Amino acid sequence: MRSFPKPDARARAAVASLAAVAALVALLVWRPAGIVSVALALLCVLLVMVAGVAISAHRQGGGEAPVEEWPAPGSYGVDADTLEGLDPRAVRGLRAAADCAVDADTLEGLDPRAVRDQRAVGGLSDR
């Protein structure tokens, strides 16, 4: 449990904008030479961007996104490891034995010569 509550988007935007103004005032009043002025300028840009993101988060609601639940697994009884270990030829053989319709994955894996041989046996021509 936290001892301090997490600040909301408005508080973050206010703190970041105040820090950006402070860094800008320090840059304009102090006028450092060299790398310090570059670092202060980059800090100003960074703080302004943090404030802008916090403001847009507040405008969009800032709440947590609803958790989507995965659909219940189907009644196939096959997990990913089993699918990985299956031999595509055995799957094709099972589909052919069950006389199922051929889907796109099966068509992708078929050997074109085997398809031509099946067409020749079935009396179908290529044209």
Side-chain angles (χ1 to χ4, degrees):
M1 185 172 167
R2 294 182 175 202
S3 58
F4 295 110
K6 189 174 179 182
D8 65 339
R10 288 179 297 186
R12 286 186 199 144
V15 170
S17 61
L18 286 175
V21 168
L24 184 63
V25 167
L27 183 64
L28 294 176
V29 171
W30 183 27
R31 293 186 190 215
I35 192 80
V36 177
S37 64
V38 173
L40 276 174
L42 288 175
L43 182 65
C44 286
V45 170
L46 177 70
L47 289 170
V48 168
M49 290 182 69
V50 168
V53 168
I55 289 170
S56 84
H58 176 68
R59 285 184 184 166
Q60 291 180 358
E64 293 182 17
V67 177
E68 294 181 19
E69 295 199 19
W70 288 84
S75 61
Y76 298 115
V78 179
D79 60 352
D81 294 332
T82 306
L83 286 175
E84 226 174 62
L86 284 177
D87 183 21
R89 294 173 294 211
V91 173
R92 270 188 246 122
L94 287 173
R95 286 182 179 162
D99 199 25
C100 294
V102 178
D103 62 352
D105 294 332
T106 305
L107 287 175
E108 232 176 51
L110 285 177
D111 183 19
R113 294 172 292 205
V115 173
R116 274 190 239 113
D117 292 343
Q118 285 180 357
R119 284 183 177 170
V121 170
L124 299 173
S125 66
D126 286 339
R127 295 181 186 132

